[in-house]
Amino acid sequence: MDKIAVFCGASMGASEVYAEGAKALGKELARKNITLVYGGASVGMMGTIADTVLEAGGQAIGVMPDFLDQKEHTHQHLSKLIVVDSMHERKAKMAELADGFIVMPGGAGTMEEFFEIFTWAQLGLHRKPFGLFNVNQYYEPLVALFNHMSREHFLAEKHRTMALVDSDPTGLIHQLQNYDAPSGTRTYISEDQT
């Protein structure tokens, strides 16, 4: 696994624990010689993880829509910066570059990015691994919702388990590196739920 796309916010969150998580993940990516692919900003969680990767001697590729430059403040010291015209192009380019995806704590934009990758995997459009970096148990409510979706037959079990979850960056990267995508295409309910 050469490149991992990390989805995260342009804000820092309510606790220093989130920045510490971003730093831990950034250090682990650099240690494993995995290039960071991310949204290209110098602020918030995005800036923290990029700065950490670069300071640790790693590589960071940013993908920034030109219209967001003033709001998110494009990082000026990346290994490579790719400027695109839209949010759709940003996500498509990140997905194209990455061998896998990690979702840090974030808001609506981070969730939108995650769910698109999740949906594409369900539809069989990619077989790349993706996981939630569960810093400070941030994603426990979402994991509970996935379990509820599965019990109510809106999410097949084989799809529920696609979303890897770990609160340790080393463990999460290990899961991504050893991921084996389920076979077949999308089904609304699994065979044992019919």
Side-chain angles (χ1 to χ4, degrees):
M1 185 166 290
D2 296 324
K3 297 182 183 76
I4 291 178
V6 176
F7 297 127
C8 54
S11 63
M12 293 300 293
S15 169
E16 181 64 24
V17 71
Y18 299 118
E20 293 305 317
K23 291 174 185 175
L25 177 57
K27 287 175 185 174
E28 190 63 15
L29 291 173
R31 189 179 75 78
K32 292 184 174 294
N33 295 315
I34 298 172
T35 297
L36 167 69
V37 177
Y38 85 115
S42 63
V43 296
M45 300 293 284
M46 286 198 278
T48 300
I49 192 167
D51 288 342
T52 304
V53 166
L54 294 167
E55 288 166 9
Q59 301 290 308
I61 299 172
V63 183
M64 174 66 80
D66 54 7
F67 77 92
L68 270 184
D69 180 47
Q70 295 305 309
K71 183 174 177 61
E72 291 188 351
H73 304 287
T74 303
H75 202 297
Q76 300 300 310
H77 305 289
L78 298 173
S79 309
K80 183 176 183 180
L81 175 66
I82 301 169
V83 178
V84 295
D85 293 327
S86 69
M87 295 296 284
H88 294 294
E89 287 182 57
R90 179 196 234 179
K91 290 182 294 180
K93 178 54 73 173
M94 290 175 71
E96 174 191 322
L97 292 171
D99 302 310
F101 307 89
I102 291 177
V103 185
M104 290 281 302
T110 302
M111 289 294 87
E112 189 270 339
E113 292 166 329
F114 165 67
F115 277 109
E116 186 161 72
I117 291 299
F118 195 165
T119 303
W120 289 354
Q122 282 184 286
L123 295 170
L125 298 176
H126 74 81
R127 296 176 61 80
K128 298 176 181 182
F130 55 95
L132 299 165
F133 185 22
N134 199 19
V135 178
N136 200 32
Q137 291 80 50
Y138 185 80
Y139 283 116
E140 291 305 309
L142 183 59
V143 171
L145 178 59
F146 290 157
N147 293 336
H148 177 65
M149 289 174 173
S150 182
R151 285 192 303 271
E152 295 299 316
H153 298 188
F154 286 104
L155 180 64
E157 181 65 14
K158 71 176 182 179
H159 295 147
R160 184 190 66 80
T161 59
M162 284 177 163
L164 308 172
V165 183
D166 206 311
S167 59
D168 175 66
T170 304
L172 185 55
I173 291 170
H174 179 76
Q175 285 190 66
L176 265 67
Q177 290 173 324
N178 292 283
Y179 177 75
D180 187 21
S183 60
T185 57
R186 180 181 181 192
T187 57
Y188 289 96
I189 56 174
S190 62
E191 294 73 16
D192 61 342
Q193 293 173 328
T194 55

